[in-house]
Amino acid sequence: MPLTRGLVINGQEVPASSGRTTGDTSPWSGDVYAEVAAGTPDDVRRAVDAADAAFEAWAATKPAERRRIFLRAAQIMTERAADIVTLMAEEVGGIAPWAGFNAHLAADILLEAAAEVTRPTGQTLATNASGVHSTQVRVPKGVIAAISPWNAPVILGVRSVAMPIAMGNTVVMKPSEDAPIACGLLVSDVLHEAGLPPGVLNVVTNDPADAPEVVSALIADPRVRMVNFTGSTEIGRAIGVQAARHLKPAVLELGGKNALLVLEDADVDYAVDAAVFGSFMNAGQICMCVDRVIVHRAVAEEFTAKFADRVRALSYGDPGDPGTAVGPVVNPAAAARIAALVADAVAHGAELAAGTGLIEKPGTLIRPVVLTGVTKEMKIYYDEIFGPATVIHTVDSADEAVALANDTPYGLTAGVITENLAGGLEVAGRLRTGIVHVNDQSIGDEPQAPFGGVKSSGYGRFGGQAGAEAFTDTRWVTAQAVGHAHFPI
């Protein structure tokens, strides 16, 4: 029998107001893994009611108590690592190393939130007014809407709520329809078990067909003061427009067309290892994955041969098999989109150095693909792949590599591989991305680091001090003794 889960409103698990549920389907077995409540705009209002009612008391909660809750939540998350491996294999087809990493980094995000609770929240300002004490302080915004994705479900589910709550806000969370448990209800379970008071975190799951009206109701509610969203650029753009229409700030972490630059002096074997991991971890379904490997012609032949050999040898298939390196993609529609990108490239003259681009049983599996000879006329040149495929481009100089890396509407992350660290830093400084790693591939995340992109990869930052500032308002406060002020009229 599938699991059955409800909404979480005011600390209680409840059915949707409509009484409806929606299936949460496993991408590997095709079976319904769970039935979750199909929330409606009425349920959004109930959740915002609870979050709004809880805000004042939570914002006034002593820092030590807030920190204690997050420290306990990190411990619980770590203890649940084995359960998370099973959950992610069933719900999103995640292989065990990826699921274990999700549990580990999610616990670290909770620890970072605990640390941020007691960091300084303001500063004393210079003032020209005599007898006046002038300060700048950070204060909670109120109710925050958090919309979390399926691809790194535990990491990004926790990230969407941890810092907002740590800073004294309350949250209404709408998890992805493809991972409502891993990126929503699990996060709620952990935080409530750790002692989070009712109403501080509320979770509204929904049927995919109802997503637009559920999200619109959440953003439009006047008590919701901010939105954070991680997901595709297409949906993120629509959410940003809605938030702007209601004069609400947003943190949007969106898609990427990330490049790994392999320079002339690179250690080729090291570069191959980096490219394999960066391209195919989680079947390429990470916003930071390497979509393009840009290789200097001096090492291109050697790199391409070794990289293609490594990719052809990757085990792929059942995410529950500990030996699997590349699992299925999240659903048949995603598989069809990826296969179409590969087919279009091949039809226009690209060559397959590895893989076939064909969909295999159970309809969500694609053998890892490497393409060469990709040109601007092919859709895959500019479109984000978000699947188990990557492209090799050959260039004649570092300048050409930089120009090609920047030839994209996206700007999330990049990697540069070189034996010349100073030269690598110089190249990194010319890349138009929010993140860049020298002598590493493009996937990297630490909870204390500012995380986000530029251009069509979004705006705003999660993580550490940047995240704390994003989820608070800056307030100017002055104080003086009665009678010191002079009023000219």
Side-chain angles (χ1 to χ4, degrees), residues 20-31:
R20 293 188 299 119
T21 62
T22 185
D24 179 14
T25 302
S26 167
W28 181 249
S29 69
D31 296 332

Side-chain angles (χ1 to χ4, degrees), residues 79-325:
E79 292 168 353
R80 291 196 177 192
D83 294 336
I84 288 168
V85 169
T86 301
L87 169 62
M88 283 183 54
E90 290 284 354
E91 194 173 40
V92 294
I95 64 172
W98 175 240
F101 178 71
N102 265 250
H104 171 76
L105 183 54
D108 282 353
I109 293 169
L110 292 165
L111 290 175
E112 180 64 23
E116 200 65 39
V117 166
T118 51
R119 295 241 173 98
T121 59
Q123 57 185 312
T124 300
L125 302 177
T127 175
N128 291 317
S130 300
V132 172
H133 182 68
S134 181
T135 61
Q136 172 184 305
V137 298
R138 290 189 286 110
V139 297
K141 287 178 174 290
V143 180
I144 290 180
I147 304 171
S148 55
W150 56 265
N151 60 313
V154 185
I155 294 170
L156 300 179
V158 169
R159 188 182 74 174
S160 73
V161 304
M163 195 63 77
I165 292 172
M167 293 296 98
N169 303 286
T170 57
V171 172
V172 176
M173 182 189 207
K174 194 214 84 66
S176 166
E177 299 86 3
D178 285 309
I181 298 175
C183 73
L185 297 169
L186 167 74
V187 178
S188 170
D189 292 345
V190 168
L191 282 164
H192 283 108
E193 184 179 336
L196 192 71
V200 176
L201 173 60
N202 307 273
V203 182
V204 179
T205 56
N206 61 279
D207 185 89
D210 301 329
E213 63 176 353
V214 167
V215 170
S216 293
L218 183 56
I219 296 173
D221 193 302
R223 296 166 297 176
V224 172
R225 298 311 315 147
M226 184 181 179
V227 180
N228 79 72
F229 170 81
T230 300
S232 72
T233 294
E234 179 184 6
I235 296 175
R237 182 176 284 112
I239 286 172
V241 168
Q242 289 187 60
R245 186 178 297 125
H246 295 283
L247 292 179
K248 297 177 183 180
V251 173
L252 303 175
E253 196 258 287
L254 310 177
K257 189 69 178 172
N258 311 302
L260 178 66
L261 283 64
V262 180
L263 303 186
E264 182 176 9
D265 62 351
D267 180 318
V268 172
D269 292 331
Y270 180 84
V272 167
D273 289 343
V276 170
F277 178 87
S279 300
F280 298 106
M281 173 50 73
N282 195 34
Q285 298 172 116
I286 306 173
C287 59
M288 299 172 281
C289 274
V290 174
D291 263 29
R292 303 172 293 160
V293 187
I294 301 173
V295 188
H296 193 283
R297 192 173 303 278
V299 294
E301 183 176 352
E302 180 186 2
F303 175 88
T304 301
K306 289 182 174 180
F307 182 56
D309 284 346
R310 281 285 310 281
V311 173
R312 284 192 292 267
L314 290 175
S315 59
Y316 70 106
D318 184 354
D321 183 339
T324 297

Side-chain angles (χ1 to χ4, degrees), residues 464-477:
Q465 182 180 346
E469 292 173 355
F471 296 111
T472 51
D473 285 326
T474 299
R475 178 179 293 169
W476 180 35
V477 180

